[in-house]
Amino acid sequence: MKTSRIKEGLPYPRGANWDGKGTNFAVFSANATKVEVCVFDQQGARELDRIELPEYTDQLFHGYLADIHPGTFYGFRVYGPYQPDAGHRFNPNKLLLDPYARAHAGELKWDPALFGYQLESQDDLTFDERDSAPFMPKCVVVDPGFDWLGEPGRKKVPWDHTVIYETHVKGFTRLHPAVPENLRGKYAGLGRKEVVDYIRSLGVTSVELLPIHTFINDSLLVDKGLVNYWGYNTIGFFAPDPRYAADVPNSLREFKEMVARFHDAGLEVILDVVYNHTAEGNERGPTLSFKGLDNASYYRLIPDQKRYYINDTGTGNTLNLSHPRVLQMVTDSLRYWVQEMHIDGFRFDLGTILAREPNGFDNQSGFLKACSQDPVLDTVKLIAEPWDCGPGGYQVGGFPPGWSEWNDHFRNGVRDYWRGETPAVALTPRLCASADLFNQQGRRPWASVNFITAHDGFTLNDLVSYNEKHNEANKENNQDGSSDNRSWNCGAEGPSEDPGINALRERQKRNFLATLLLSQGTPMLLAGDEFGRTQQGNNNAYCQDNEISWLNWNIDDEGKRIITFVQKLTGLRHKYPILRRSRFLTGEYNEELEVKDVTWINANGSEMAQENWNDPQMRCFGMLIDGRAQPTGIRQRGQEATLLLVFNSYQDVVEFTFPECTGGKRWTLLIDTNLEEDRNETFSTGDKYQVTSRSLLLFQLEPGS
């Protein structure tokens, strides 16, 4: 390349940024001595040029290259000390991905050349001179332009209206009959009108996608003929993974089109993101990007043994968010997805790690402070998975105001109640958005993201069909995945032809769904649970890119009935604001307004007494939510409907007496999970209702009757 094409450029913005004439490159490294940009042909196979970035400002190498246009494939080679004992692993023989690359092309092909040391020796102190470029994916210079004006339907969904639907880009459409074959499993397929209309019809408001940041298939899985299907193995925080693009050269545009189609339908898009670790593993892992750019800055290393990595993630390494440039990269990434890609929120995998400082979890960590003060991130939904495998890593309820959290107390409590393993007293806090965990510092009920199932674990169908996990397909001798599933097979392991068992299983599914969607807090529904999807008992399908994980759209009549039931539940949730209050239910008597927001009812129709709560065998109870309760901080009575939920996890019928309630004397049945068809029956105060074993009911008080 002629030097006249090279200019000093700027140290910002990071990455490769095209201005219409050429491209500015800027990359951080505190310890490198030289950085080269490598330009490749349109197949990404042949290296055409190497250009040294001429300037180094504030630990940023930068330069401007004329005639480098969108579509150009590139990577970095970085020079510096190879001193693993000091934490440095520079090796210019290894082509490195740009941490700020907006697009990637090509697949990683596992080869010994990908490792900075001589893999055959198994000694990471050795130095490998083989060129890794032939086996590496390449970064792509992009044209960021996109017309977002076609989003008239986009709207911000308030937290108290939110119903999350968790799914996988590929798995949702891979078998979908309404999606053209070439678009199945792709961003364009998920954005198809038929798909979007179906999701909207469920009454959900926000689609949460499993990781779509560029990720790597672990070599151990590839050797077994498996893949990293879930995608929790990120290598690029700014690029949508090209494997989900029908048009790889235009993957960025295809992703934006998908987001726009969801927004047109009034649906939000939330991304599951992995900023806690990368795909480079520990000291014996490959050199793909960060390790070769500046290992000592990007990763948390053991202070007195910098050859080795702190492994709070269980994946080999931990990203070092205590470093200001690494923290900047993560927040830059988040803002990019909000501002350029119009994403509406994020779910943070192993979120506790992001709040770790050298002394452990800190809810005033640099990352959490950066998010809380950021004017862009303050406008979107931030959801933490509040645990990791490090010391003190379980932090449910420990995140600061503004955050919501996955609440496994809800999952475990509801599962235990409906399988008859815990009394009512253990369930009631979960029905009230777990105020014991979240009612502090002005946090709201929506801070509790309630779920029964998620991508990790049994599906709803399998939760009521299996007592044990069946993960043989993962080729780990069924040793992987949790053994604490709190599941109950209702009398037979796996599929059954027994009508009684199948009827009980269907009722249990309805019980779980109704508990989820009628509880206070933010409900999250796993895609496919609305029609009884099975993973054949596999509770850890992270490596199953096949029919085990893909949604099967051959839905039988029973599945269609569950879909209708889910639609009814979400319809009720949207219709009755009292089911999604913005204030925690406390059960305390408001003397000024002469009302309790929630009253717990014994089966005899009276208010629960302490001896009832102390009864470990008490399985049937009512939850009366009074619509007259104060709905906001203004001291005035509410004008909402009063609702009564009845729960019975007992193995037999329980006779339940309708309680007295100010404002009305008649109760209309809205839900009975024992009934497959609606019955709009009305009952009077004092009437008795035969509550079927293991069932849930919902009634509305008819005012003035």
Side-chain angles (χ1 to χ4, degrees):
M1 172 175 283
K2 296 179 181 179
T3 56
S4 61
R5 293 177 57 198
I6 307 172
K7 296 181 180 179
E8 296 81 0
L10 298 169
Y12 56 83
R14 314 288 183 266
N17 290 274
W18 179 64
D19 65 3
K21 296 180 180 179
T23 300
N24 190 84
F25 291 88
V27 61
F28 160 75
S29 182
N31 297 289
T33 58
K34 183 172 73 170
V35 174
E36 294 174 337
V37 176
C38 300
V39 178
F40 292 83
D41 63 17
Q42 288 302 298
Q43 287 70 46
R46 185 165 62 92
E47 187 174 334
L48 302 177
D49 209 347
R50 292 191 191 186
I51 311 99
E52 179 181 351
L53 294 179
E55 290 289 352
Y56 187 57
T57 305
D58 296 336
Q59 300 182 328
L60 290 149
F61 290 87
H62 57 93
Y64 180 90
L65 307 181
D67 300 327
I68 296 293
H69 299 295
T72 301
F73 288 21
Y74 74 98
F76 293 130
R77 295 186 188 273
V78 180
Y79 297 75
Y82 190 82
Q83 299 170 350
D85 284 332
H88 302 310
R89 296 180 178 272
F90 296 101
N91 187 335
N93 299 294
K94 311 305 166 185
L95 186 75
L96 306 177
L97 296 172
D98 177 1
Y100 278 73
R102 268 52 170 185
H104 292 162
E107 295 183 5
L108 182 135
K109 301 173 184 176
W110 283 103
D111 187 272
L114 294 171
F115 295 78
Y117 65 97
Q118 295 170 12
L119 180 65
E120 295 82 353
S121 71
Q122 292 298 299
D123 181 3
D124 66 291
L125 298 179
T126 60
F127 185 81
D128 188 82
E129 297 183 353
R130 287 170 285 193
D131 183 8
S132 68
F135 311 101
M136 282 287 293
K138 307 302 185 293
C139 304
V140 185
V141 178
V142 303
D143 177 357
F146 186 79
D147 177 16
W148 286 105
L149 296 178
E151 282 197 320
R154 189 183 188 189
K155 61 181 180 180
K156 183 177 177 62
V157 179
W159 261 117
D160 58 336
H161 285 261
T162 301
V163 179
I164 298 172
Y165 188 68
E166 189 196 38
T167 193
H168 187 283
V169 169
K170 182 175 184 179
F172 197 79
T173 63
R174 183 61 185 83
L175 301 176
H176 201 297
V179 176
E181 184 66 37
N182 66 314
L183 301 183
R184 293 182 183 179
K186 308 299 182 182
Y187 302 122
L190 193 60
R192 293 278 296 187
K193 185 178 187 303
E194 299 89 340
V195 175
V196 174
D197 285 350
Y198 167 78
I199 295 175
R200 182 176 58 179
S201 77
L202 296 175
V204 300
T205 66
S206 310
V207 179
E208 182 177 305
L209 301 178
L210 265 65
I212 56 84
H213 288 173
T214 303
F215 63 93
I216 297 298
N217 285 322
D218 319 51
S219 59
L220 292 176
L221 292 177
V222 174
D223 290 344
K224 293 179 181 180
L226 302 170
V227 299
N228 190 322
Y229 172 71
W230 285 350
Y232 292 95
N233 205 26
T234 305
I235 198 62
F237 298 117
F238 291 78
D241 197 295
R243 77 191 69 193
Y244 300 141
D247 182 7
V248 173
N250 293 296
S251 58
L252 199 66
R253 179 171 294 275
E254 184 177 333
F255 182 87
K256 291 179 178 180
E257 288 279 3
M258 177 197 73
V259 173
R261 299 292 76 77
F262 278 111
H263 287 166
D264 287 346
L267 296 168
E268 292 184 317
V269 179
I270 296 172
L271 297 186
D272 194 337
V273 288
V274 188
Y275 294 108
N276 55 75
H277 75 281
T278 79
E280 292 185 300
N282 60 17
E283 68 276 2
R284 293 193 175 184
T287 297
L288 309 175
S289 179
F290 312 94
K291 188 179 289 186
L293 283 164
D294 194 346
N295 185 67
S297 295
Y298 278 106
Y299 294 115
R300 293 193 188 276
L301 307 178
I302 297 177
D304 56 349
Q305 292 181 296
K306 293 187 177 180
R307 175 183 176 185
Y308 302 107
Y309 296 75
I310 292 174
N311 185 24
D312 290 333
T313 64
T315 62
N317 65 53
T318 305
L319 211 59
N320 181 19
L321 267 74
S322 296
H323 193 288
R325 291 299 189 194
V326 182
L327 175 59
Q328 181 184 32
M329 177 188 70
V330 171
T331 52
D332 282 351
S333 169
L334 292 169
R335 282 189 295 269
Y336 172 77
W337 288 96
V338 174
Q339 294 177 304
E340 295 294 329
M341 310 294 272
H342 285 207
I343 293 303
D344 303 288
F346 304 94
R347 179 267 188 187
F348 294 85
D349 177 61
L350 302 182
T352 301
I353 287 176
L354 304 179
R356 278 188 184 276
E357 297 293 357
N359 61 341
F361 176 83
D362 183 352
N363 72 358
Q364 294 298 312
S365 71
F367 173 74
L368 294 179
K369 285 180 178 177
C371 289
S372 66
Q373 62 77 44
D374 191 290
V376 173
L377 301 183
D378 191 46
T379 67
V380 298
K381 293 181 168 71
L382 302 177
I383 305 168
E385 181 187 33
W387 49 76
D388 65 29
C389 64
Y394 186 79
Q395 293 292 335
V396 175
F399 277 71
W403 284 75
S404 63
E405 305 171 36
W406 273 26
N407 183 3
D408 63 338
H409 286 259
F410 182 91
R411 177 195 65 194
N412 296 344
V414 174
R415 287 186 178 193
D416 281 346
Y417 175 77
W418 284 116
R419 68 191 181 114
E421 293 295 324
T422 194
V425 68
L427 179 65
T428 52
R430 308 307 149 225
L431 302 175
C432 299
S434 298
D436 54 328
L437 300 171
F438 297 102
N439 191 6
Q440 55 178 308
Q441 298 182 290
R443 301 184 78 180
R444 298 289 187 169
W446 53 255
S448 174
V449 175
N450 302 329
F451 64 103
I452 307 293
T453 59
H455 66 275
D456 187 2
F458 280 146
T459 65
L460 181 61
N461 178 83
D462 294 357
L463 181 65
V464 301
S465 303
Y466 294 92
N467 283 350
E468 308 294 336
K469 63 186 179 184
H470 296 270
N471 297 355
E472 290 80 7
N474 296 357
K475 302 182 180 179
E476 297 182 44
N477 298 315
N478 205 32
Q479 299 300 305
D480 64 300
S482 175
S483 296
D484 181 23
N485 294 293
R486 302 170 191 248
S487 60
W488 178 44
N489 64 19
C490 299
E493 189 73 355
S496 173
E497 296 183 0
D498 185 310
I501 289 176
N502 287 332
L504 176 56
R505 287 176 176 176
E506 293 305 315
R507 190 161 70 251
Q508 287 285 71
K509 292 178 193 177
R510 293 192 288 272
N511 290 337
F512 281 122
L513 290 166
T515 307
L516 174 67
L517 289 165
L518 300 178
S519 291
Q520 304 293 310
T522 303
M524 184 185 78
L525 179 68
L526 175 64
D529 277 357
E530 73 272 16
F531 55 78
R533 180 176 77 91
T534 179
Q535 290 182 168
Q536 302 163 33
N538 192 319
N539 75 346
N540 189 34
Y542 76 104
C543 55
Q544 299 298 327
D545 187 5
N546 50 46
E547 286 83 354
I548 291 176
S549 296
W550 302 340
L551 273 66
N552 181 353
W553 294 97
N554 292 320
I555 303 172
D556 60 18
D557 290 341
E558 196 60 63
K560 292 175 182 176
R561 281 192 286 270
I562 305 177
I563 290 175
T564 301
F565 185 66
V566 167
Q567 291 169 330
K568 181 174 183 179
L569 291 171
T570 56
L572 291 169
R573 186 176 185 86
H574 294 309
K575 179 180 179 180
Y576 295 109
I578 201 164
L579 292 172
R580 43 183 173 81
R581 282 171 48 95
S582 62
R583 293 166 63 88
F584 283 97
L585 296 170
T586 66
E588 298 175 358
Y589 183 71
N590 186 320
E591 293 186 359
E592 182 179 351
L593 302 180
E594 300 180 322
V595 65
K596 277 187 178 182
D597 52 14
V598 62
T599 303
W600 304 101
I601 307 297
N602 197 357
N604 63 14
S606 62
E607 184 171 356
M608 292 276 280
Q610 191 58 50
E611 57 266 26
N612 302 134
W613 291 120
N614 293 337
D615 182 358
Q617 302 304 315
M618 207 275 289
R619 295 286 191 271
C620 181
F621 68 99
M623 178 185 185
L624 195 160
I625 315 175
D626 198 319
R628 300 173 301 142
Q630 181 179 330
T632 70
I634 300 173
R635 298 181 185 278
Q636 63 183 21
R637 279 188 176 179
Q639 298 180 355
E640 305 297 340
T642 292
L643 300 178
L644 172 67
L645 290 99
V646 179
F647 300 82
N648 180 24
S649 66
Y650 187 56
Q651 61 188 9
D652 205 348
V653 173
V654 174
E655 188 175 76
F656 187 90
T657 302
F658 286 96
E660 293 184 0
C661 183
T662 302
K665 295 182 178 181
R666 296 185 64 79
W667 298 90
T668 297
L669 176 66
L670 301 178
I671 291 286
D672 182 344
T673 58
N674 183 52
L675 304 176
E676 292 188 354
E677 297 181 358
D678 293 341
R679 294 182 190 171
N680 294 320
E681 298 179 82
T682 301
F683 305 87
S684 298
T685 297
D687 285 353
K688 302 181 186 303
Y689 192 102
Q690 302 300 309
V691 181
T692 310
S693 66
R694 297 190 174 90
S695 60
L696 182 154
L697 302 95
L698 174 67
F699 298 89
Q700 176 185 350
L701 182 69
E702 296 300 331
S705 54

